[in-house]
């Protein structure tokens, strides 16, 4: 017999978890976020579509049904239950679409590469017929794969095999949203753009996050699995000396988003996993970007787990796994402009060539509170290690982030959390 996971199984919250038996399919669609379960519990809490009337409770099995249920991102309270696998790259009759179906205006990758080769084109932003054709082709794909989520919405997967494939769920200018028990897979961009002045050498920019919070507030993401499954970027070719990236973030929280809790979720097989705050000069993000990340797994993630600008982020009881064959790992916790990360009791497992000093990276950061970390089973002081091994390109970090988290349940030891997250994080694992 196992216990159902409930967001408030945290003893402080006084809720009772009852035994779950095989075949017991608890309806989670009207669940709401428990009090004290992270930043999304603040200022009224997060209830999603729990108030939806029966006419706005939908079970969807294909893209067309999902689009109708989302209602253009309307604010009408709604509950959307996803059954089986839904592929966003399909037409209205359900026919599978590939990149050739979106291509228009004479676009071809071969012509695009020839037109904007930096050795001939230089460092100017691409313009002209091939860039125009790329944009037109990209717009045709976006019409299919970008799915807007409005306020007072709950999206849940049914059972243990609900998958949304190829889509970019976008919670934009919306409040009070819940996404649970759902696998988000392979938001694949057919038409990445070349950006000559990015990162010094230029870089490829893809358009779609599997889940993007854009000026979104009161959002609870729970037992979600997000990955590039099917199209890993590491297997893409190299053009202009840069990897031809087909994916952007797994979960990006940007443009003034606020009061977000991400719990018991799994982020895997990806480069840039999670960005919180999208620009060093976005002063309007001050006082916002309050995010709690707890009991999540980051496995085979190259970087941004997360990278934070401006936000007050509570990062506790998470599990980080760098695989033995990882050749491109960069860092896990990114400390950027005016970020205030309070990290405690997180566990890191890495191969021998990844050092504890590699786990934290700073760009214009000033502070990081970190305690209770485990590195390959051994307690480590990540702040002291960062400051000791900092190359001098960035200032040392202070331990004073100016705040102490109050909205949370008991914080387990890193070792206990490591075991619990390995068993319980991700879609299909709500007990």
């Amino acid at each position: 017999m196992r216990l159902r996971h409930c967001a408030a199984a945290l003893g402080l919250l006084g809720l009772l978890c009852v035994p779950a038996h095989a075949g017991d399919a608890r309806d989670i669609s009207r669940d709401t976020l428990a009090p004290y379960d992270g930043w999304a519990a603040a200022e009224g809490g997060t209830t999603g579509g729990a108030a939806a009337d029966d006419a706005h409770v939908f079970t969807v099995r294909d893209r067309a049904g999902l689009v109708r249920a989302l209602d253009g991102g309307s604010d009408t309270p709604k509950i959307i239950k996803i059954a089986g696998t839904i592929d966003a790259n399909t037409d209205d009759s359900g026919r599978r679409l590939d990149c050739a179906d979106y291509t228009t205006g004479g676009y071809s990758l071969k012509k695009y590469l020839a037109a904007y080769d930096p050795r001939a084109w230089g460092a100017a932003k691409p313009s002209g017929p091939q860039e125009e054709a790329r944009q037109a082709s990209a717009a045709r794909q976006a019409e299919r794969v970008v799915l807007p989520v409005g306020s007072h919405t709950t999206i849940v997967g049914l059972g243990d095999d609900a998958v949304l494939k190829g889509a970019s769920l976008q919670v934009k200018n919306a409040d009070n949203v819940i996404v649970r028990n759902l696998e988000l897979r392979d938001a694949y961009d057919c038409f990445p753009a070349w950006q000559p002045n990015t990162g010094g050498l230029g870089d490829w920019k893809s358009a779609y996050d599997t889940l993007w919070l854009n000026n979104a507030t009161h959002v609870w993401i729970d037992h979600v699995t997000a990955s590039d499954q099917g199209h890993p970027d590491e297997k893409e070719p190299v053009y202009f000396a840069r990897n031809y990236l087909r994916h952007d973030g797994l979960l990006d929280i940007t443009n003034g988003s606020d009061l977000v809790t991400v719990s018991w979720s799994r982020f895997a097989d990806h480069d840039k996993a999670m960005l919180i705050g999208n620009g060093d000069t976005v002063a309007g993000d001050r006082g916002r970007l309050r995010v709690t990340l707890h009991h999540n797994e980051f496995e085979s993630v190259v970087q941004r787990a997360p990278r934070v600008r401006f936000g007050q982020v509570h990062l506790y009881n998470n599990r980080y796994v760098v695989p033995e064959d990882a050749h491109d790992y960069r860092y896990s916790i990114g400390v950027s402009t005016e970020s205030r990360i309070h990290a405690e009791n997180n566990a890191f497992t890495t191969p021998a060539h990844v050092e504890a000093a590699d786990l934290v990276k700073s760009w214009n950061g000033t502070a990081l509170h970190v305690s209770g970390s485990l590195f390959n089973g051994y307690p480590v002081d990540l702040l002291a290690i960062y400051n000791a091994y900092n190359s001098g390109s960035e200032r040392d970090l202070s331990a004073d982030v100016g705040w102490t988290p109050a909205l949370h349940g008991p914080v387990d030891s890193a070792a206990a959390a490591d075991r619990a997250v390995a068993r319980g994080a991700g879609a299909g694992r709500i007990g």
Side-chain angles (χ1 to χ4, degrees):
M1 191 185 308
R2 57 191 173 87
L3 290 181
R4 288 193 177 116
H5 167 71
C6 35
L10 324 158
L12 284 179
L13 308 183
L15 296 189
L16 176 65
C17 287
V18 298
H21 302 273
D24 181 44
R26 181 171 66 95
D27 183 3
I28 65 169
S29 63
R30 292 190 187 271
D31 285 2
T32 62
L33 180 65
Y36 304 105
D37 193 357
W39 275 116
E43 300 178 15
T46 300
T47 60
D53 59 28
D54 290 345
H56 291 92
V57 178
F58 309 93
T59 297
V60 298
R61 293 176 171 83
D62 55 23
R63 179 193 174 277
L66 177 57
V67 169
R68 287 193 298 270
L70 287 168
D71 190 27
S74 77
D75 292 345
T76 304
K78 62 184 74 68
I79 294 171
I80 302 172
K81 305 176 184 182
I82 293 180
T85 296
I86 293 177
D87 191 340
N89 286 289
T90 52
D91 66 15
D92 290 342
S93 67
R95 181 179 67 90
R96 178 78 171 88
L97 302 175
D98 60 22
C99 294
D101 292 301
Y102 300 125
T103 301
T104 191
Y107 173 83
S108 81
L109 178 58
K110 183 177 180 180
K111 292 178 180 178
Y112 189 90
L113 294 173
Y116 306 116
D117 188 323
R119 293 169 293 188
W121 179 261
K125 184 178 179 180
S127 63
Q130 274 299 303
E131 172 59 13
E132 292 167 5
R134 186 202 66 78
Q135 291 182 21
S137 302
R140 293 181 64 174
Q141 186 183 19
E143 288 177 358
R144 293 279 103 189
V145 304
V146 172
L147 302 177
V149 181
S151 299
H152 314 301
T153 298
T154 291
I155 301 175
V156 297
L158 291 179
D160 59 3
D161 61 352
V163 178
L164 181 56
K165 178 182 177 183
S168 178
L169 281 179
Q170 299 191 2
V171 187
K172 184 176 182 180
N173 302 325
D175 177 68
N176 194 29
V177 172
I178 295 172
V179 182
R180 300 185 74 200
N181 195 42
L182 182 62
E183 181 177 351
L184 302 173
R185 181 190 299 171
D186 190 24
Y188 184 86
D189 188 349
C190 289
F191 309 102
W194 175 243
Q195 296 184 326
N197 295 312
T198 300
L201 297 175
D203 210 350
W204 293 98
K205 172 63 176 175
S206 54
Y208 309 120
D209 305 315
T210 54
L211 180 55
W212 181 25
L213 310 187
N214 181 345
N215 191 35
T217 53
H218 289 107
V219 180
W220 179 30
I221 299 160
D222 178 69
H223 282 91
V224 164
T225 295
S227 77
D228 296 345
Q229 183 175 329
H231 287 105
D233 277 334
E234 65 182 23
K235 293 186 178 180
E236 294 291 337
V238 172
Y239 298 126
F240 305 157
R242 305 294 286 173
N243 186 224
Y244 191 55
L245 295 175
R246 297 288 196 161
H247 304 89
D248 196 7
L250 293 177
L251 168 60
D252 279 8
I253 303 169
T254 64
N255 296 304
S257 293
D258 197 21
L259 303 176
V260 177
T261 296
V262 183
S263 57
W264 294 96
S265 292
R266 186 169 186 269
F267 303 92
D269 305 318
H270 188 80
D271 184 354
K272 301 173 178 130
M274 187 183 302
L275 182 65
I276 301 175
N278 58 313
D280 291 340
T281 61
V282 186
D285 282 343
R286 290 191 181 108
R288 300 179 71 82
L289 298 172
R290 291 173 290 178
V291 179
T292 299
L293 303 174
H294 74 83
H295 294 92
N296 303 294
E297 180 175 66
F298 297 90
E299 183 174 2
S300 298
V301 166
V302 175
Q303 57 187 314
R304 297 187 183 178
R307 178 176 175 179
V308 182
R309 297 180 176 97
F310 293 104
Q312 293 183 49
V313 175
H314 190 197
L315 183 70
Y316 76 92
N317 281 170
N318 298 287
R319 180 176 194 259
Y320 295 80
V321 179
V322 181
E324 286 293 330
D325 60 353
H327 61 278
D328 55 357
Y329 174 79
R330 293 186 59 189
Y331 68 92
S332 293
I333 301 173
V335 184
S336 296
T337 302
E338 297 186 35
S339 62
R340 294 184 285 168
I341 302 170
H342 194 286
E344 52 186 328
N345 295 23
N346 298 293
F348 302 83
T349 301
T350 77
H353 68 273
V354 175
E355 303 287 349
D358 298 325
L359 302 179
V360 175
K361 185 173 175 60
S362 175
W363 301 260
N364 302 318
T366 59
L368 171 67
H369 175 96
V370 60
S371 62
S373 304
L374 279 186
F375 176 69
N376 290 330
Y378 293 90
V380 292
D381 184 338
L382 289 185
L383 181 61
I385 290 170
Y386 173 83
N387 287 339
Y389 286 88
N390 179 16
S391 67
S393 60
E394 288 289 339
R395 74 191 82 181
D396 284 354
L397 298 174
S398 163
D400 183 7
V401 295
W403 72 292
T404 300
L407 289 170
H408 61 85
V411 179
D412 298 324
S413 71
D418 191 39
R419 295 188 295 269
V421 171
R423 292 191 302 267
R429 294 183 172 184
I430 294 182

